[in-house]
Amino acid sequence: MDMLDEAEQTLNAGRVKDEEGKFAEAFALYQHGLEKLMEKLKQPMSSEKKEYYKNIITDYMARAEVIKKKKDTATEPLVQEIRIQNEDTGWTFRRILAKPMADSPTHIRIQDPYLHARHQLANLVALCELFATLSSISHIRVITRAAPTSEQKSMQQKCMRDLGQSLSEKNITLVTNYSETLHDREIRFKNDNNVIWVVIMGRGLDIYKKLPSWFHLGATDYQYRKCHEVTITLTRG
């Protein structure tokens, strides 16, 4: 499917949700479809086609603005889909999780079966460093599988122990649970008003590609990290 077909299908799906009164889902689909159309405009084409697509973009942007106001006052869950392409950069945890973090969460649950390799644990620490910047956070729960080898298990346990100790200095309690049947990968946020965000992570925290070395750009600033292709879905309820 080329970019134009995908944009058309996405916008049509948005219109269906719009007609059903599901404004949050419609808005997210309109956004994604418009982004694809604007990418298409960058490609060589006749002036007539360019004008045609510009008119479509103008019409859908106008409708998106209308339903944005309805979405903001609606009680339906907010659904957003983030599609990260292979080799993309700039997708920091802060950027991906900006909306859930904006709702002042107090409790966060990180669920990922694969937190035992060095880079996976480093991603967990980076994520918790981000959460520690929020004054509202009081509890973080990590659910994962026990590491498969004795060496990895030792590193995993040390990470959880040291991370828990450093978080406690910020008055944040870290609880770690192990489940050998765990499969789903998600991050769940909850605040004092019982607003819940569920972020379904297609690859869990392991969305970044391996660096050429630990002295490469991206070692500490994740905006320089190249990503794997992944889809992330955020739902607010």
Side-chain angles (χ1 to χ4, degrees), residues 85-96:
Q85 302 300 318
N86 187 47
E87 299 281 299
D88 271 1
T89 59
W91 286 104
T92 61
F93 287 134
R94 182 182 295 277
R95 179 182 177 187
I96 294 168

Side-chain angles (χ1 to χ4, degrees), residues 21-26 70-71 74-78 236-237:
K22 297 178 179 178
F23 302 122
E25 293 180 59
K70 295 182 179 181
K71 168 185 75 68
T75 57
E76 61 170 305
L78 172 64
R236 182 179 187 269

Side-chain angles (χ1 to χ4, degrees), residues 6-17:
E6 185 178 354
E8 184 177 358
Q9 286 192 13
T10 304
L11 290 171
N12 286 339
R15 183 168 290 281
V16 170
K17 295 297 183 183

